[in-house]
Amino acid sequence: MEKPVGGTDENEQAARDTPAQQSPPVLLETLAARMPEPVVVTAADGEIRTGNDHLCDLLDSDPSDVFGRPIAEFFPDLRDVDLGTHCSPSPGTPLTSSCSASDTERWVEIAFEPQQWDGEELYLGIVHDITERHERTEMLEQYERIVETIEDGIYTLDEGFTMQTVNSAVESMTGYDKDTLVGSNATLLADESVIEEAAEMSRQFIEGERDVGTLTTDLRTADGDTLPIETKFTTYDREDGSYRQVGVVRDISDRKRFEETLAALHESTRKLLHTETKTAVAEQILDTAVDVLELPDVEIYLFDRSDNTLRSVGGAEADRSASVGPGQSTVWDVFVQDSAVEVAPGERIDLGAGPVTADAKRLCLPLEDHGVFYIELGEQHSDARTREMVDLLAASAEAALARVDRETTLREREAERREQNRELRRLKQVNAIIRRIDQVLVEAETTEEIEQAVCDQLAESQWFSFAWIGRQDATELVPRAWAGDTASYLDAISLSLEREGGPPAVQTAQSEAMTIVPSVADNLRGDHWRTEALSREFQSALSIPLEYDDFVYGVLTVYAEQEDGFDEMLQEVFAELGETIANAIREVESRQRRAGDGTVELELSLSAPQSFLTHLSDRVGVPVICEGAVQRSDGAIRLFLAISDCDPAVVEEEMLSMARVDTARAISTDQLDGLYEVVVTGQTVAETLLEQGGRLKTIRTSTGGLTVTVVVSGETDVRQFVEQLGERYADVKLIARRDGTQSNGQRDSTVRSALEEQLTDRQLEVLQTAYLSGFFDWPRETTGQEIAVSLDVSQPTVNRHLRVSERKLLELVFGDS
């Protein structure tokens, strides 16, 4: 367009006054159109004046939507850029910006050159699309940021193992700065052997034999120390055909310590397999906690079932209580509730001696039903790995304590089984001895036979080495029978009863109770008998009274060649044996008293305030005379009583009101001379006399006690008879002794003994009852029917028993035998 000569019109003048509305210079438009890259022309204020098609294509917009608009709408990063300042003093420096007008985010660089046109400064910008480069740069920066934030070391090496790049973690691990590391060979940090191993792995990477390699080694640090590390690395190819090695290096100091700790824990657990007590387990666990985990204070409380307390094992605090019982304490609560407790610093904790404020973190871990594991954690032990170690140690303690429990139980059961088998074998053999003794007791005719046979049988067994029986004299224990190879022992010891203590037999004679000596070797200096016994290899002893129904017939003492030779089982066996022997001696002595030549009538006085006769006399207010007694098979005794000057109804009523009376009846209703039959349970004087082999004549009550008249065999040891009676009753005195004629006494005792042998117990009971109740009197005091009612049988039965008894008695008197 040609300009008018000599002036301008108003429109042209307005265009000059408003540059933003002015068209761009044709030269710039032409230049922009010919450029192969996007071109933009802007005013100083950033308004786009023109551009080429490439620019519109980049902005994905029509020219009418681009020209005349601020450049910052399309390139936001140029919003605050002063192009005039930017291009001075060095125009052409590119500016970088994103391109927001296109659908796909792109990045560009624009290099502006200032242009003068009619006094106006315009800026010609050449736009370069740098999206790919920007993305690569951005990725590189992101990678570098990631690498720098990773705690593991990142490095690259060239083919000759020269370090090309390292991150700050590598600097921290090695103590070298980046400038020192980059450019140095890897031998600065690792041994040549490690480099050779890495080179072999790199060859394998290149040849495709493997993808990634792992090395565990030690790095040399700047301070001359070593650092355990693990590195994983591989190779990548470069465009020039060379390769680089890239790797990650990790500090495995914690892992190494963890592995060492695990190994130490494993060793501790292995040692636990050989512990045999809970205390040994606890001590091993505590040693491990202190030596391996380096915990400042640990303790184990073991539950003691004997007194239901938790007993302390170990612990560094001197003022800690030795045991913790049920109550309000942290340790007890953890044990009972089976729940761990963690106490933070500043919180209260009670270990049994009262609550205290914890100055460090504390743990109380339950060990199932075995106890509690107490731990104090220092500041360096607050990590999760230490807690894992503590939990593992607690689990090992639980397992070991449970194992000890099981093994202890198994050992105890095995020991019990062995002991039971041993006891069963011994019991079997002892029972065999007892059976032989019982056979002897049945066949023996004299007391001497019984005593000697018992000693012989016991001494012949493998369990006992010496046995003897003694009887009490006035001042000493007199040996009556013995068996074994060391009878000289009895001559070497004192058997005096006048002082307390002494040999087991003397102790039993004094106390009338069993004496057990588990170990003869105890208190050797205090007892002379122990020295004598030990010199004969007696290791333990048992002594029992030969007692039956409160009468003592001597003392049996047995010695064994091993300590604790008389357990509870044997004690029970010997207690029964003592009673059996005593009963046999009683039977033989009673038989001898009844069958001996001649008779002796004894008149005695004794005190028996608790006897039935004394109580009855007190009730009826008159003397009571027992004229006969018949023992019953059920243990009761039938007494025949003469009571004068008393109403029979009153007597019968009083007798029936007494607790010991089973039945009572008046045989004779004569008030002046009454005769009564009464069945009494419990101990009576009449029964005692009969058991000792006496034949009761009378027992009379008086204000001073009882007066007894009894007939015994002429061979009876009267003093022994009186002494045995004195063992049951007080103040026994012999008033008179009347010897019967030998011929009459011998005939009477012979007939009586023969009759007793030929009659059954029931026949003898019926005959005695009939005789004592006046059945054979004339006139009869009682009838056969009354006897039948009294004996709780039928009258024909009574009649049959009486006829049989009378016939046998007459055969003894008139028969040929």
Side-chain angles (χ1 to χ4, degrees):
M1 178 182 298
E2 294 182 2
K3 297 183 178 66
V5 180
T8 62
D9 58 19
E10 293 180 357
N11 292 334
E12 184 177 350
Q13 184 64 41
R16 289 176 179 170
D17 296 338
T18 310
Q21 302 296 327
Q22 192 171 330
S23 299
V26 176
L27 180 59
L28 291 180
E29 288 182 348
T30 303
L31 181 60
R34 293 180 177 179
M35 292 292 291
E37 294 181 347
V39 174
V40 61
V41 178
T42 67
D45 60 2
E47 178 188 2
I48 298 176
R49 295 291 181 86
T50 189
N52 61 3
D53 293 338
H54 296 301
L55 176 66
C56 294
D57 291 340
L58 175 66
L59 300 180
D60 195 20
S61 302
D62 293 331
S64 59
D65 295 329
V66 176
F67 302 156
R69 302 178 70 87
I71 193 172
E73 288 187 13
F74 303 100
F75 304 101
D77 296 312
L78 303 182
R79 186 177 308 278
D80 299 325
V81 175
D82 185 344
L83 294 178
T85 303
H86 171 72
C87 292
S88 177
S90 56
T93 301
L95 294 172
T96 302
S97 175
S98 61
C99 181
S100 61
S102 60
D103 293 336
T104 303
E105 182 180 19
R106 305 190 70 81
W107 287 83
V108 298
E109 277 185 354
I110 307 176
F112 286 98
E113 291 286 345
Q115 300 289 330
Q116 296 292 327
W117 186 261
D118 285 342
E120 180 184 7
E121 189 171 71
L122 298 179
Y123 297 91
L124 175 65
I126 308 299
V127 182
H128 298 284
D129 188 345
I130 62 168
T131 301
E132 292 183 3
R133 190 184 72 189
H134 179 81
E135 289 177 351
R136 287 196 301 271
T137 303
E138 189 175 58
M139 289 179 62
L140 181 60
E141 291 175 351
Q142 183 179 7
Y143 166 76
E144 290 177 348
R145 286 194 300 271
I146 292 173
V147 167
E148 288 302 323
T149 56
I150 290 176
E151 293 183 357
D152 293 333
I154 307 294
Y155 64 89
T156 60
L157 307 174
D158 65 10
E159 295 177 356
F161 285 87
T162 299
M163 288 178 276
Q164 301 295 309
T165 61
V166 294
N167 67 349
S168 58
V170 175
E171 295 181 83
S172 299
M173 290 181 191
T174 62
Y176 291 105
D177 57 29
K178 186 175 297 186
D179 292 340
T180 303
L181 293 170
V182 174
S184 298
N185 193 271
T187 53
L188 174 69
L189 304 176
D191 290 341
E192 189 66 39
S193 60
V194 177
I195 302 302
E196 291 176 358
E197 186 176 357
E200 173 59 23
M201 289 184 179
S202 297
R203 182 194 63 76
Q204 295 172 357
F205 301 152
I206 295 170
E207 295 179 0
E209 297 178 8
R210 63 192 302 177
D211 296 325
V212 178
T214 302
L215 284 174
T216 301
T217 185
D218 290 332
L219 290 186
R220 289 188 294 269
T221 59
D223 59 5
D225 205 349
T226 58
L227 179 73
I229 60 96
E230 178 185 81
T231 178
K232 290 187 176 183
F233 66 101
T234 187
T235 60
Y236 66 92
D237 298 329
R238 303 186 67 189
E239 293 179 357
D240 60 2
S242 63
Y243 69 88
R244 288 278 179 90
Q245 302 176 62
V246 59
V248 178
V249 60
R250 174 169 295 174
D251 182 352
I252 59 171
S253 300
D254 290 343
R255 192 176 80 185
K256 290 279 286 185
R257 284 192 295 270
F258 183 65
E259 291 173 352
E260 292 170 357
T261 302
L262 282 179
L265 289 178
H266 175 73
E267 177 64 19
S268 173
T269 303
R270 189 186 63 79
K271 291 180 180 179
L272 288 175
L273 295 175
H274 304 287
T275 53
E276 296 185 356
T277 66
K278 288 190 172 183
T279 300
V281 170
E283 291 174 348
Q284 179 63 39
I285 293 294
L286 295 176
D287 290 344
T288 302
V290 173
D291 298 339
V292 177
L293 301 185
E294 300 180 348
L295 297 172
D297 187 19
V298 288
E299 188 166 4
I300 288 180
Y301 294 84
L302 294 178
F303 182 61
D304 188 342
R305 290 181 175 86
S306 64
D307 58 1
N308 292 328
T309 59
L310 292 167
R311 296 199 174 275
S312 167
V313 178
E317 297 183 10
D319 61 345
R320 187 166 301 153
S321 59
S323 63
V324 179
Q328 297 297 321
S329 68
T330 307
V331 175
W332 186 261
D333 291 343
V334 168
F335 175 68
V336 172
Q337 298 171 12
D338 193 26
S339 178
V341 168
E342 184 174 309
V343 180
E347 294 183 1
R348 307 282 279 177
I349 184 172
D350 188 348
L351 299 179
V356 296
T357 300
D359 55 0
K361 186 176 181 180
R362 316 285 179 99
L363 296 175
C364 285
L365 306 178
L367 301 177
E368 294 183 342
D369 58 349
H370 309 293
V372 174
F373 190 12
Y374 163 82
I375 307 103
E376 177 184 329
L377 299 174
E379 294 182 0
Q380 71 275 24
H381 303 99
S382 59
D383 59 302
R385 180 158 288 179
T386 298
R387 178 58 188 269
E388 182 182 354
M389 293 291 106
V390 169
D391 290 340
L392 182 60
L393 193 57
S396 299
E398 285 183 357
L401 292 171
R403 177 190 58 77
V404 169
D405 255 358
R406 291 193 302 271
E407 292 180 355
T408 300
T409 300
L410 289 175
R411 285 196 299 269
E412 290 174 351
R413 289 178 179 173
E414 179 62 21
E416 289 176 1
R417 186 187 64 79
R418 289 195 299 268
E419 180 62 21
Q420 288 172 354
N421 290 338
R422 189 180 72 87
E423 289 181 357
L424 288 174
R425 289 194 301 270
R426 181 166 59 175
L427 180 60
K428 183 178 179 180
Q429 295 175 355
V430 170
N431 283 336
I433 298 171
I434 300 303
R435 285 194 297 271
R436 293 195 296 270
I437 291 175
D438 287 342
Q439 185 64 34
V440 170
L441 297 180
V442 171
E443 298 174 353
E445 294 291 338
T446 65
T447 301
E448 289 76 10
E449 288 182 29
I450 293 175
E451 294 169 337
Q452 189 60 52
V454 168
C455 294
D456 289 341
Q457 291 295 330
L458 292 173
E460 288 176 4
S461 75
Q462 63 173 330
W463 301 102
F464 315 114
S465 55
F466 184 63
W468 70 284
I469 291 176
R471 281 208 183 183
Q472 184 174 345
D473 200 349
T475 60
E476 64 178 354
L477 196 63
V478 179
R480 289 175 57 87
W482 54 87
D485 297 332
T486 52
S488 61
Y489 168 71
L490 297 176
D491 297 329
I493 62 174
S494 171
L495 298 177
S496 173
L497 301 174
E498 295 183 337
R499 62 189 183 93
E500 293 294 325
V506 172
Q507 297 178 42
T508 296
Q510 292 171 337
S511 64
E512 295 186 0
M514 180 184 294
T515 300
I516 302 294
V517 181
S519 175
V520 172
D522 293 343
N523 194 26
L524 279 177
R525 294 188 179 90
D527 293 317
H528 172 69
W529 71 266
R530 292 179 182 268
T531 303
E532 296 293 340
L534 198 62
S535 68
R536 292 165 175 82
E537 298 184 356
F538 298 162
Q539 298 290 340
S540 58
L542 174 144
S543 185
I544 56 170
L546 302 180
E547 182 178 14
Y548 182 83
D549 200 14
D550 294 337
F551 290 114
V552 177
Y553 295 89
V555 174
L556 169 63
T557 306
V558 184
Y559 291 87
E561 293 184 350
Q562 65 276 354
E563 290 190 350
D564 297 316
F566 302 91
D567 55 20
E568 292 184 2
M569 178 198 70
L570 279 182
Q571 293 173 29
E572 293 177 2
V573 169
F574 271 97
E576 295 178 2
L577 179 62
E579 188 174 348
T580 302
I581 296 172
N583 184 40
I585 293 175
R586 180 185 68 87
E587 291 289 344
V588 169
E589 289 184 349
S590 297
R591 190 163 60 244
Q592 289 174 337
R593 288 167 182 167
R594 290 192 299 268
D597 294 337
T599 60
V600 177
E601 182 180 280
L602 303 177
E603 186 175 345
L604 307 107
S605 65
L606 56 89
S607 175
Q610 301 301 320
S611 70
F612 167 75
L613 296 179
T614 301
H615 283 174
L616 179 59
S617 178
D618 292 341
R619 282 173 176 259
V620 299
V622 296
V624 175
I625 302 173
C626 177
E627 295 184 338
V630 179
Q631 286 182 305
R632 298 202 326 180
S633 58
D634 60 359
I637 192 167
R638 192 182 308 276
L639 303 178
F640 295 90
L641 309 178
I643 303 177
S644 303
D645 300 325
C646 192
D647 186 350
V650 174
V651 174
E652 192 170 351
E653 180 181 0
E654 288 294 337
M655 286 193 296
L656 290 173
S657 67
M658 298 175 72
R660 295 179 56 189
V661 173
D662 274 355
T663 62
R665 70 182 182 95
I667 298 174
S668 171
T669 58
D670 186 349
Q671 183 169 346
L672 295 178
D673 191 13
L675 182 62
Y676 303 88
E677 176 187 327
V678 58
V679 177
V680 180
T681 60
Q683 190 181 87
T684 62
V685 177
E687 183 181 16
T688 301
L689 295 171
L690 295 177
E691 288 177 348
Q692 287 191 240
R695 177 164 55 85
L696 176 65
K697 293 190 69 174
T698 61
I699 303 176
R700 298 173 180 270
T701 65
S702 64
T703 56
L706 299 179
T707 300
V708 175
T709 303
V710 62
V711 178
V712 297
S713 167
E715 295 184 354
T716 300
D717 186 334
V718 175
R719 187 179 69 176
Q720 181 181 346
F721 184 90
V722 173
E723 288 177 352
Q724 287 184 339
L725 193 62
E727 291 181 3
R728 183 169 293 178
Y729 303 106
D731 301 326
V732 178
K733 297 178 181 178
L734 179 62
I735 299 174
R737 168 177 175 161
R738 292 179 284 275
D739 296 330
T741 61
Q742 183 173 358
S743 59
N744 291 338
Q746 183 176 1
R747 183 178 66 252
D748 292 344
S749 61
T750 300
V751 172
R752 183 183 180 93
S753 298
L755 182 62
E756 290 178 353
E757 289 179 359
Q758 293 192 25
L759 295 181
T760 65
D761 291 342
R762 191 59 164 168
Q763 291 169 350
L764 184 62
E765 181 183 2
V766 171
L767 182 61
Q768 287 179 310
T769 301
Y771 174 76
L772 292 172
S773 62
F775 178 78
F776 297 107
D777 293 348
W778 187 260
R780 285 180 175 175
E781 293 287 347
T782 188
T783 66
Q785 180 62 37
E786 289 173 330
I787 294 174
V789 172
S790 175
L791 296 173
D792 194 23
V793 296
S794 65
Q795 185 175 352
T797 300
V798 171
N799 293 337
R800 184 175 67 254
H801 285 323
L802 288 176
R803 282 195 297 272
V804 171
S805 301
E806 289 170 350
R807 185 181 70 252
K808 290 184 177 181
L809 176 60
L810 292 174
E811 286 178 352
L812 290 172
V813 176
F814 299 113
D816 294 339
S817 61

